Each structure stands twice: as C-alpha cells, then as structure tokens.
Amino acid sequence: MNIVQVFVLSILFFVLFFGIGFILNMLLRSTWIMAIIFPIIVVLIIDDVPFMNYFTQPGESFPALGQDLVNLQVVDLFILIVGFIGTIVSGIVIRILRAKGYQMF
C-alpha cells in the first residue's frame, strides 16, 4: 500500500470514527459508548465469520478471529488504531464541551 493511501485512509478512519462517536455520545448522553462498541466494529471489519456464530459456535469462531488478528498487516493495524484514537478524542471533546456548559440534546 502506498504511503499516500495510508495517510488518506488514516485520516478518513479518524474522521469517520470521531464523527460517529461524537454523534452517539451526544444522542445517548454517554461519553465513552463508541470506545466500548469499537472492538465489535473491528471484529465485523476483520472477520468473515457471521457475528451470531460467536454465540452459537464459539469454539470455531474465536480461533478464526485470533488467526485473522495475527494475519493483519502493520498498515491495517495502524489504520484501526487511528480509528480508535478518533473514538477516544470524540469522548474527550464531549467531556470538555459538557464541562464548559454546552448541553447537547
């Protein structure tokens, strides 16, 4: 993957997860909801196993997830980490705005 593609993808993932996290935190009046949901989203992005199989067939699904996590490239991990940083920053921004007296919904 080209360095320009990595840069653009990391900015897009940061903005995407910051925006989704900010809106969810604002609407649900919770500060860290997206940071809790983020691992589920990562599992949905990475793994090919249907989500319900984690509950119905955990013995097969979790090893497949572990193998998919091990097979991730450094670039993919970097992009996902930047997305997680976006969720953390959205929680920090919500806390700062609430501390300064802004009431969202």
Side-chain angles (χ1 to χ4, degrees):
M1 194 178 289
N2 191 348
I3 190 74
V4 174
Q5 290 174 331
V6 172
F7 180 72
V8 169
L9 275 173
S10 62
I11 290 176
L12 285 174
F13 263 64
F14 180 86
V15 170
L16 174 78
F17 283 108
F18 176 84
I20 292 171
F22 188 85
I23 290 171
L24 279 178
N25 290 334
M26 184 175 54
L27 291 175
L28 300 176
R29 292 188 175 261
S30 169
T31 305
W32 303 110
I33 190 73
M34 191 59 193
I36 295 169
I37 296 174
F38 185 79
I40 297 170
I41 294 172
V42 169
V43 167
L44 291 174
I45 290 172
I46 293 173
D47 207 6
D48 295 333
V49 177
F51 190 70
M52 285 305 297
N53 283 5
Y54 288 102
F55 301 105
T56 59
Q57 300 170 348
E60 299 167 5
S61 301
F62 283 106
L65 175 63
Q67 190 63 32
D68 288 341
L69 286 173
V70 169
N71 291 337
L72 280 178
Q73 295 182 357
V74 176
V75 174
D76 298 329
L77 281 174
F78 175 73
I79 292 170
L80 290 173
I81 289 170
V82 169
F84 185 66
I85 291 171
T87 63
I88 299 298
V89 171
S90 73
I92 292 170
V93 168
I94 285 287
R95 289 190 78 198
I96 291 171
L97 288 173
R98 287 188 184 134
K100 293 196 182 248
Y102 292 96
Q103 293 189 8
M104 291 136 306
F105 293 90

